[in-house]
């Protein structure tokens, strides 16, 4: 068995050994913030397709990434193992503008040339406009003005907890604030 050399090993190498090719597509190229786009990356080639890890989509700072899915089909032709592995990434842009995904790359070791290589699918360009109900950054920016969200501060939580505990104790007769006509912290 051939051990893989450390010299020339690219950053992001996940262990793929073989000769692979990448193709990438998006289910839409125009969308609004708050909407999702599904990016499909297909890896094909000769080699152990099971060792292929997720390709790099490049800088995703302007996107939220959700769970990705993958599927693979292995084939044997003669004495060569190969196949296809598909990755689906669900992304949501968090700001408007012309956003670029990529270049989309996969690092592998080619046993025929005994060298590392990086397969590239290029970049995908997305035209993103601001959505009417833009909630893509709301989780980090806090509640919207005029919303019905109540922010509960730690001191308020302590007060609510004390009131609820006191009411429970009073109902079961364990209140030590004077029984039926209790005027303790949680008295109505």
């Amino acid at each position: 068995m051939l051990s893989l050399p450390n010299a020339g090993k690219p950053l992001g190498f996940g262990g793929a050994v073989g000769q692979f090719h990448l193709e990438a597509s998006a289910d839409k190229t125009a969308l609004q913030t708050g909407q999702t786009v599904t990016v499909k990356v297909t890896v094909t080639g000769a080699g152990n397709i099971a060792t292929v890890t997720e390709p790099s989509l490049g800088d995703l700072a302007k996107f939220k990434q959700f769970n990705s899915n993958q599927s693979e089909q292995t084939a044997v032709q003669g004495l060569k193992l190969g196949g296809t592995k598909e990755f689906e990434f669900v992304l949501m842009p968090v700001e408007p503008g012309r956003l670029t995904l990529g270049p989309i790359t996969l690092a592998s070791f080619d046993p025929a040339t005994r060298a590392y290589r990086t397969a590239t699918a290029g970049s995908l360009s997305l035209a993103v406009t601001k959505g009417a109900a833009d909630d893509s950054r709301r989780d980090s920016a806090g509640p919207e003005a005029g919303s019905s969200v109540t922010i509960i501060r730690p001191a308020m939580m302590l007060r609510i907890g004390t009131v609820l505990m006191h009411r429970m104790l009073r109902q079961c007769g364990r209140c030590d604030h004077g029984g039926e006509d209790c005027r303790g912290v949680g008295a109505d």
Side-chain angles (χ1 to χ4, degrees):
M1 182 168 171
L2 178 68
S3 62
L4 301 180
N6 286 325
K9 186 183 293 186
L11 190 63
F13 174 70
V17 177
Q19 299 169 331
F20 300 107
H21 172 73
L22 290 182
E23 290 182 17
S25 62
D27 67 342
K28 60 185 89 145
T29 56
L31 68 155
Q32 296 179 342
T33 54
Q35 293 180 329
T36 58
V37 59
T38 300
V39 175
K40 183 176 172 181
V41 180
T42 304
V43 180
T44 56
N48 188 353
I49 202 76
T51 64
V52 172
T53 57
E54 285 188 353
S56 169
L57 299 181
D59 183 12
L60 295 177
K62 296 180 180 181
F63 296 89
K64 282 186 182 179
Q65 183 174 355
F66 299 95
N67 291 339
S68 61
N69 295 314
Q70 63 184 22
S71 63
E72 69 182 62
Q73 295 177 346
T74 305
V76 179
Q77 293 180 352
L79 297 175
K80 289 191 176 187
L81 180 65
T84 301
K85 195 165 195 176
E86 292 182 345
F87 296 89
E88 285 189 353
F89 302 91
V90 179
L91 306 171
M92 182 172 61
V94 295
E95 64 183 56
R98 170 89 34 211
L99 305 182
T100 302
L101 284 169
I104 299 167
T105 59
L106 174 72
S108 63
F109 181 77
D110 184 343
T113 62
R114 296 183 181 205
Y116 291 98
R117 63 182 288 267
T118 301
T120 304
S123 299
L124 299 174
S125 184
L126 303 173
V128 181
T129 56
K130 185 172 180 166
D134 184 9
D135 62 356
S136 58
R137 286 199 179 250
R138 192 167 295 145
D139 62 291
S140 60
E144 211 177 307
S147 70
S148 61
V149 174
T150 302
I151 297 174
I152 300 177
R153 309 228 185 281
M156 187 183 294
M157 282 297 293
L158 182 59
R159 171 81 174 140
I160 291 169
T162 304
V163 168
L164 292 174
M165 181 59 78
H166 184 73
R167 286 183 181 165
M168 287 174 22
L169 289 172
R170 191 172 55 197
Q171 285 178 347
C172 72
R174 290 188 170 175
C175 177
D176 61 357
H177 291 289
E180 296 259 341
D181 55 337
C182 175
R183 299 287 177 232
V185 176
D188 297 324

